[in-house]
């Protein structure tokens, strides 16, 4: 059975975005550090680069390495939608969990108005699937899906937000993960891969 993997950037105080959904305050280092970090993460997870930017970073024809499906909440989908992009990850199967989004927003995007746990359990059981499911965000959805998250890939940025959207926004439910691998970058970011115990 394939896995649900939460791949996300997080501040030192556990925020994935600011109070208004902003993420442009995440530090990336100087130009050289930023380029090296982006090249490394893009090569490792090419499918997490939005379709509109893949050609610009040399990934236009890059195959999906880890994921063939993305699940996100409306808050994560909203910036693309506001920019007129209704299918931000056209190279993946896309699911948006929302009770308010119109189901016909884009034929390539499946809107899920109900139980995200049922959706993820169904996706994980699909026959013949060889790649995993990427949980792109946001915090409320991650909190709801915590029972089904098998792995975390956390990009920790050296910044304190002070307020904003938490990585997990749900009920108190201590869940232990083991560190499988950790990589530190010169720009101060650490990327940690964790697996559910």
């Amino acid at each position: 059975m394939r896995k649900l993997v939460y791949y996300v950037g997080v501040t030192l105080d556990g925020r994935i975005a600011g109070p208004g959904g902003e993420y442009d305050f995440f530090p990336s280092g100087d130009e050289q550090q930023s380029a090296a970090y982006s090249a490394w993460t893009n090569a490792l997870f090419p499918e997490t680069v939005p379709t509109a930017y893949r050609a610009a970073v040399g990934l236009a024809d890059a195959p999906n390495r880890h994921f063939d499906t993305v699940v996100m909440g409306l808050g994560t989908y909203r910036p693309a939608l506001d920019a007129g992009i209704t299918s931000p990850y056209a190279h993946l199967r896309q699911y948006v969990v929302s009770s308010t989004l119109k189901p016909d927003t884009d034929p390539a995007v499946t809107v899920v108005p109900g139980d995200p746990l049922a959706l993820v359990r169904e996706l994980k059981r699909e026959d013949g699937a060889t790649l995993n499911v990427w949980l792109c965000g946001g915090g409320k959805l991650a909190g709801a899906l915590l029972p089904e998250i098998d792995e975390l890939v956390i990009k920790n940025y050296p910044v304190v937000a002070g307020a904003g959207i938490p990585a997990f926004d749900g009920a108190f439910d201590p869940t232990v993960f083991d560190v499988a691998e950790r990589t530190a970058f010169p720009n101060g970011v650490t990327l940690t891969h964790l697996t559910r115990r």
Side-chain angles (χ1 to χ4, degrees):
M1 187 163 69
R2 61 186 178 157
K3 299 173 182 176
L4 179 65
V5 181
Y6 190 20
Y7 174 70
V8 68
V10 179
T11 65
L12 294 174
D13 54 343
R15 308 295 179 171
I16 59 174
E22 56 272 273
Y23 51 87
D24 56 353
F25 64 92
F26 282 75
S28 58
D30 63 31
E31 189 175 329
Q32 185 178 3
Q33 291 171 336
S34 179
Y37 168 70
S38 293
W40 193 90
T41 56
N42 290 350
L44 185 61
F45 294 103
E47 58 270 71
T48 64
V49 176
T51 304
Y53 304 110
R54 288 170 63 86
V57 296
L59 297 173
D61 297 322
N64 296 336
R65 294 188 61 200
H66 299 279
F67 311 116
D68 63 9
T69 304
V70 60
V71 176
M72 66 189 101
L74 181 58
T76 302
Y77 182 57
R78 176 67 59 200
L81 199 56
D82 289 347
I85 301 169
T86 57
S87 180
Y89 297 101
H91 52 284
L92 299 172
R93 285 192 307 158
Q94 303 165 90
Y95 293 87
V96 177
V97 177
S98 172
S99 60
T100 59
L101 187 65
K102 294 179 180 178
D104 61 350
T105 300
D106 188 287
V109 174
T110 302
V111 177
V112 180
D115 182 6
L117 280 170
L119 166 69
V120 166
R121 287 173 180 147
E122 180 181 324
L123 291 173
K124 288 171 76 171
R125 287 191 305 264
E126 286 180 327
D127 287 336
T130 58
L131 297 177
N132 292 322
V133 178
W134 171 32
L135 172 56
C136 183
K140 286 184 182 176
L141 182 58
L145 291 175
L146 181 57
E148 288 296 325
I149 295 175
D150 301 291
E151 297 181 8
L152 303 169
V153 180
I154 305 292
K155 299 175 287 183
N156 290 102
Y157 288 84
V159 62
V160 173
I165 301 168
F168 292 90
D169 187 2
F172 181 72
D173 185 14
T175 306
V176 179
F177 287 81
D178 292 321
V179 174
E181 184 179 357
R182 182 170 285 141
T183 305
F185 297 90
N187 63 355
V189 179
T190 58
L191 187 140
T192 308
H193 179 197
L194 305 105
T195 58
R196 181 183 285 270
R197 185 174 289 178

